[in-house]
Amino acid sequence: MANYDLIVIGGGPGGYVAALRGAQLGLSVACVEKEKRLGGTCLRVGCIPSKALLESSERYVEATQHLKEHGVVVGGVTLDLPAMLKRKDRIVRGLTQGVAGLLMKNGVTRYEGLGTLVGTGAEGTRVAVGDEELVGKHVILATGSSVSPLRGVDLDADWIGTSTEALSYAEVPSHLVVIGAGVIGLELGSVWARLGSKVTVLEYMNRILPGMDHELSAQAQRVFTKQGLTFELGARVTGARREGEGCVVEVEGREPLRCDRVLVAVGRKPNTEGLGLEAVGVATTQRGQIEVDDHFCTNVPGIYAIGDVIRGPMLAHKAEEEGVACVEQIVTGYGHVNYDAIPGIVYTHPEIAEVGKTEEQLKEAGIPYRVGKFPFLANGRARALGETEGFVKLLAHAETDRLLGAHVLGARAGDLIAELAVSIEFGASSEDVARASHAHPTLAEVVKEAALAVDGRALHV
Ligand code: FAD
Ligand code: NAD
């Protein structure tokens, strides 16, 4: 039986980062991961492969549609899908090997297999991995999430599948139906639309990206519609099945849709099956998430949980922050995550990014606010890039001017949001952002102008 100060179950961004931080702080650490490759959903079948395909497919669109605007004439552009998929796989392989290297370099012992909680005692918590038993003074559960099934929809891991299959279709579907206009639906829907598929997105709510600032998601819908995506809103999918050579998707009160592939992207559920929560009495919420307090402690002393398996947004960087804060809490007694300063990004083209509160949330909470907005169209760099779609929208407290929320639809929004996340973290006012010098000509000047606009002082309007 091997003893550790810290055992982390799950080798995703939450788990492996917690393991690294534990090792940095001098703990003896084990990381248990059931898959061969480390890196979790994010590296294997999530963030990284989807961004690789988003980048490649965008290059294809650029070559086939946009280069001529720049006076660059290319002929005979063709799609080599196998090469595109191979590139994605190569990137994934390299990064997952990188994580294995990091763990080794930091002296973290890696166990391959399903980790199951089997008991608690004076020494700590016992974790079984195959035939082996480990004991941890502290155990962090970082088992992540997997695709939520949809009643009536028979996933066949091929024609009717999830994001995992949609990252590897062997050929471009002629008609792809995406169920769910959330982040996955829009990112992967965009990939296949760019490569030539007709894409129909069915969304239960009456808007796309329901959690985001309404003004932003409404504009995003117009942009994606122009790009060729078709949205059917208020569409409750009741079933999907294989029929003949294709698939049929049933929508309540509407004509069934015929297509050749279906992507189910209606959210994800926490991974707790086989983890042995019952054996040690770890409590879960009604939604099946592991219940934790503000310090990531479960109801069982010495057992903690972080990442997708607990409450909060399902984001890799959120899981990482929690991993670090949880370990620091264990070792030093303090460690904190500011959930108001965690950015969320949709890596479409243009990108959509936000941090802090939406306008709807401020209204609902009765917080007085002022809005500053500025369009990319009025920015010199955006014109030079040919990327004039979208705007930056800042929300500041009406009395204190403190920045409460930032929402960006536009080129490189995912990079622009970093400045605004730091501003919120530091408790900056819109005046602070407006007075900071922003290099010219950069897209960041749109942020500065939006900050000036909070006080009606934008210069280039
Ligand atoms: P995971 O990454 O899910 O890792 C959990 C790990 O635990 C897995 O490797 C699993 O095999 C292992 N495990 C589970 N149970 C056990 C057990 N009992 N024993 C041993 N091992 C176990 N987020 C972003 O921030 N940016 C993005 O661009 C982004 N894109 C995404 C694209 C897609 C298609 C998907 C599906 C997700 C995306 N996400 C993105 C979400 C992101 O992947 C997750 O939020 C993140 O991976 C959560 O990290 P985690 O460590 O909590 O869990
Ligand atoms: P999501 O919660 O973002 O979107 C799911 C969508 O499906 C919602 O709009 C919901 O209203 C809709 N829906 C639910 N039931 C439906 C039904 N029966 N019929 C039609 N529509 C229905 O979930 P997702 O897109 O599956 O992504 C899962 C998680 O992965 C998200 O929490 C997200 O944070 C994470 N993720 C993040 C990124 C990123 O950060 N760029 C990328 C991909 C995934």
Side-chain angles (χ1 to χ4, degrees), residues 116-417:
T116 306
L117 302 168
V118 287
T120 51
E123 300 250 297
T125 301
R126 300 201 314 280
V127 176
V129 189
D131 296 338
E132 272 186 279
E133 203 164 289
L134 323 175
V135 179
K137 259 191 242 161
H138 306 280
V139 172
I140 298 180
L141 308 175
T143 50
S145 64
S146 43
V147 173
S148 288
L150 187 57
R151 194 196 296 256
V153 176
D154 303 325
L155 293 176
D156 63 4
D158 195 2
W159 301 97
I160 304 179
T162 68
S163 51
T164 301
E165 288 76 43
L167 289 167
S168 295
Y169 294 150
E171 53 199 53
V172 178
S174 58
H175 185 192
L176 171 67
V177 166
V178 178
I179 309 178
V183 196
I184 292 180
L186 292 176
E187 288 187 352
L188 292 178
S190 293
V191 165
W192 293 105
R194 289 170 190 172
L195 299 182
S197 297
K198 170 182 172 190
V199 175
T200 308
V201 186
L202 304 174
E203 167 58 48
Y204 177 67
M205 306 293 278
N206 58 9
R207 51 178 285 201
I208 69 166
L209 296 169
M212 289 197 129
D213 189 274
H214 197 5
E215 198 177 355
L216 212 71
S217 60
Q219 174 76 3
Q221 188 183 331
R222 285 191 283 274
V223 173
F224 298 140
T225 303
K226 260 198 278 172
Q227 290 176 4
L229 267 68
T230 303
F231 294 99
E232 291 202 18
L233 304 181
R236 200 171 82 82
V237 173
T238 51
R241 59 177 193 284
R242 283 283 285 156
E243 200 176 275
E245 290 293 289
C247 310
V248 175
V249 182
E250 310 270 1
V251 185
E252 196 176 76
R254 301 186 192 186
E255 281 295 301
L257 274 156
R258 284 179 191 284
C259 59
D260 59 347
R261 294 252 186 199
V262 179
L263 160 58
V264 181
V266 294
R268 296 176 61 84
K269 62 176 174 51
N271 286 334
T272 53
E273 240 176 67
L275 187 53
L277 296 183
E278 329 65 45
V280 293
V282 170
T284 54
T285 66
Q286 271 190 339
R287 302 179 60 192
Q289 297 155 327
I290 297 176
E291 202 166 336
V292 290
D293 66 11
D294 289 347
H295 303 308
F296 311 104
C297 300
T298 68
N299 60 317
V300 178
I303 304 183
Y304 314 78
I306 58 164
D308 277 13
V309 79
I310 66 168
R311 80 287 185 270
M314 289 183 165
L315 296 170
H317 45 288
K318 175 257 191 191
E320 291 185 23
E321 296 303 332
E322 289 179 341
V324 169
C326 177
V327 171
E328 291 182 349
Q329 185 75 41
I330 291 169
V331 178
T332 66
Y334 47 85
H336 176 69
V337 176
N338 177 1
Y339 290 95
D340 276 333
I342 294 183
I345 300 163
V346 189
Y347 296 84
T348 44
H349 193 96
E351 292 177 346
I352 309 168
E354 59 178 23
V355 60
K357 304 286 186 222
T358 64
E359 193 165 352
E360 292 74 45
Q361 285 169 332
L362 293 180
K363 272 192 190 135
E364 203 180 310
I367 297 170
Y369 63 91
R370 290 195 297 172
V371 183
K373 247 173 48 178
F374 197 81
F376 280 81
L377 189 63
N379 174 272
R381 187 67 186 282
R383 294 257 183 140
L385 288 166
E387 301 277 5
T388 50
E389 197 81 65
F391 56 89
V392 172
K393 171 177 173 180
L394 301 185
L395 302 165
H397 196 285
E399 284 137 30
T400 65
D401 193 37
R402 188 181 176 133
L403 205 56
L404 301 173
H407 307 272
V408 185
L409 169 76
R412 301 179 197 168
D415 295 314
L416 295 177
I417 206 72

